[in-house]
Amino acid sequence: MHIPTCESSLLDIVGFDEALAASGGRGDYDSDKWLYVPDYYTDYRYILGTRGNNPLICIGINPSTAAPDDLDNTLKSVARIAAGNGYDSWIMFNVYAQRATDPDDMDEALNEKLHRENMRAFEYILKNVGEGVSPAIWAAWGTIIEKRPYLKDCVLDMVRLGREYNAKWYSAGKRSVKGHPHHPLYLRKDAPTEEFDIVSYLENCL
């Protein structure tokens, strides 16, 4: 079980561009199928997903232990729901890039560098959908977003970037009493995505 080895501020964070450039070079997974950045197991992860022109971009709170060809149940659900809604691929992204099996172990304070590099990864995803395709962002973080105050600010940065690329926000499944979008786990494989008013959510639910 993964727990952070330390506060992420104590790590030597590899920037997204450098990690992307090296991704796939290790040869232990099919880099024509998978997008995995960094492409080795470490205390943070920017991107894990499959390659395609029309991905469903699923947004969780923080990364799990998953890796190419070794998906956890949450990501298996993400893959099924993406396929069931007509997408040719999926990408798992996170509001905060620190891996923590228990969200209570996430950084108490925002690591500005880690967040900045994570937003570079998010912009890369938005820029690289197929021509003529509006990025489809699936808010799927559940109530875990309440764990840290800085998470709302991270989402606000994502919303600003999304606007630049005409991104559309979606949710799937029943929302929580407070209005939080459903986590992917335990959703039916044929659960439809529906439009999600991210601005109203941020104003009224957090």
Side-chain angles (χ1 to χ4, degrees), residues 140-161:
W141 46 72
T143 61
I144 305 172
I145 197 165
E146 298 179 3
K147 291 289 183 180
R148 296 289 185 269
Y150 60 76
L151 295 171
K152 178 180 179 179
D153 292 331
C154 294
V155 175
L156 283 167
D157 285 344
M158 295 170 64
V159 171
R160 294 185 192 104
L161 276 172

Side-chain angles (χ1 to χ4, degrees), residues 50-106:
T50 55
R51 297 183 184 272
N53 292 318
N54 185 26
L56 180 59
I57 305 163
C58 181
I59 311 296
I61 287 297
N62 66 305
S64 68
T65 59
D69 301 311
D70 186 21
L71 302 182
D72 58 20
N73 289 334
T74 295
L75 290 191
K76 289 175 183 177
S77 181
V78 170
R80 288 192 297 266
I81 291 169
N85 280 275
Y87 295 92
D88 68 359
S89 52
W90 57 270
I91 291 175
M92 189 70 219
F93 187 75
N94 291 277
V95 176
Y96 196 58
Q98 183 188 31
R99 269 192 170 111
T101 309
D102 184 344
D104 286 330
D105 293 325
M106 282 192 296

Side-chain angles (χ1 to χ4, degrees), residues 4-204:
T5 56
C6 60
E7 288 285 318
S8 69
S9 60
L10 301 176
L11 299 172
D12 183 14
I13 301 291
V14 177
F16 173 72
D17 291 339
E18 181 182 349
L20 176 66
S23 180
R26 294 171 178 266
D28 55 355
Y29 65 92
D30 182 356
S31 60
D32 290 331
K33 173 184 177 182
W34 294 99
L35 181 61
Y36 185 39
V37 187
D39 68 348
Y40 54 90
Y41 196 89
T42 188
D43 270 23
Y44 56 94
R45 189 186 75 209
Y46 298 123
I47 300 173
L48 173 58
T50 55
R51 297 183 184 272
N53 292 318
N54 185 26
L56 180 59
I57 305 163
C58 181
I59 311 296
I61 287 297
N62 66 305
S64 68
T65 59
D69 301 311
D70 186 21
L71 302 182
D72 58 20
N73 289 334
T74 295
L75 290 191
K76 289 175 183 177
S77 181
V78 170
R80 288 192 297 266
I81 291 169
N85 280 275
Y87 295 92
D88 68 359
S89 52
W90 57 270
I91 291 175
M92 189 70 219
F93 187 75
N94 291 277
V95 176
Y96 196 58
Q98 183 188 31
R99 269 192 170 111
T101 309
D102 184 344
D104 286 330
D105 293 325
M106 282 192 296
D107 290 336
E108 292 288 343
L110 177 71
N111 180 335
E112 294 282 358
K113 179 177 181 179
L114 185 60
H115 173 59
R116 182 173 65 251
E117 296 303 324
N118 201 39
M119 291 303 98
R120 290 187 67 82
F122 189 53
E123 186 166 21
Y124 171 84
I125 294 168
L126 297 174
K127 288 171 63 174
N128 285 279
V129 300
E131 186 176 351
V133 176
S134 294
I137 305 175
W138 171 19
W141 46 72
T143 61
I144 305 172
I145 197 165
E146 298 179 3
K147 291 289 183 180
R148 296 289 185 269
Y150 60 76
L151 295 171
K152 178 180 179 179
D153 292 331
C154 294
V155 175
L156 283 167
D157 285 344
M158 295 170 64
V159 171
R160 294 185 192 104
L161 276 172
R163 286 197 189 105
E164 295 180 24
Y165 296 91
N166 298 311
K168 298 179 180 178
W169 288 79
Y170 299 91
S171 66
K174 186 178 180 181
R175 295 172 199 166
S176 75
V177 173
K178 290 186 178 181
H180 298 309
H182 202 293
H183 189 276
L185 204 56
Y186 308 123
L187 286 176
R188 291 174 46 165
K189 66 179 180 181
D190 60 350
T193 56
E194 57 185 36
E195 290 188 15
F196 183 59
D197 188 341
I198 186 68
V199 174
S200 176
Y201 166 76
L202 289 169
E203 290 177 348
N204 300 307

